[in-house]
Amino acid sequence: MVANNNYDGASERYREAGEWLRGQRQYWQITQAELAEQAGVGDVSLIDGIERGEVVLPRSMQAAIALAFSVDRAELTDSCEIWYGQKTAAAA
C-alpha cells in the first residue's frame, strides 16, 4: 500500500482516482466489501483508502478492477499512471 505524500499536486490527482473508483463502484451498485472480494484483496480499508485519495490503486489490482467495471485494462493503467504522477497527460 502506497500512501499519498501530498506533494506536487498529488493529493488532487489521488482524489481524482478515488472519485473515479467510487463512481464506478456506485454505478455498478457494489459495496466496498464486494469490490475488495472481486479484486482479491479482502481488505475493505484498502478500497476505502483509495476512494478517499489516500492510497494508490496497486498495479497488482488494476486488472481485477478493470474486469469488475468492464473497462479496458490498458486505459485504466494509463489513467493510474497519470493520477499517480508516473506519466503526464497527452496534450489535447
Side-chain angles (χ1 to χ4, degrees), residues 10-87:
S11 63
E12 181 59 35
R13 291 191 311 264
Y14 283 33
R15 274 194 301 274
E16 185 178 341
E19 288 170 6
W20 177 86
L21 184 66
R22 184 180 311 103
Q24 288 293 311
R25 187 177 57 74
Q26 290 172 341
Y27 174 81
W28 290 99
Q29 300 179 352
I30 61 174
T31 66
Q32 287 181 337
E34 290 168 332
L35 180 57
E37 184 178 322
Q38 286 182 23
V41 293
D43 185 3
V44 174
S45 65
L46 177 60
I47 301 299
D48 185 57
I50 296 166
E51 287 187 3
R52 286 184 284 121
E54 297 174 356
V55 178
V56 169
L57 174 60
R59 208 175 268 274
S60 61
M61 284 179 54
Q62 291 175 13
I65 295 294
L67 182 61
F69 298 141
S70 297
V71 298
D72 183 77
R73 180 181 180 189
E75 287 181 27
L76 178 57
T77 298
D78 283 346
S79 293
C80 285
E81 289 175 354
I82 292 167
W83 289 327
Y84 302 128
Q86 300 157 337
K87 176 177 166 179

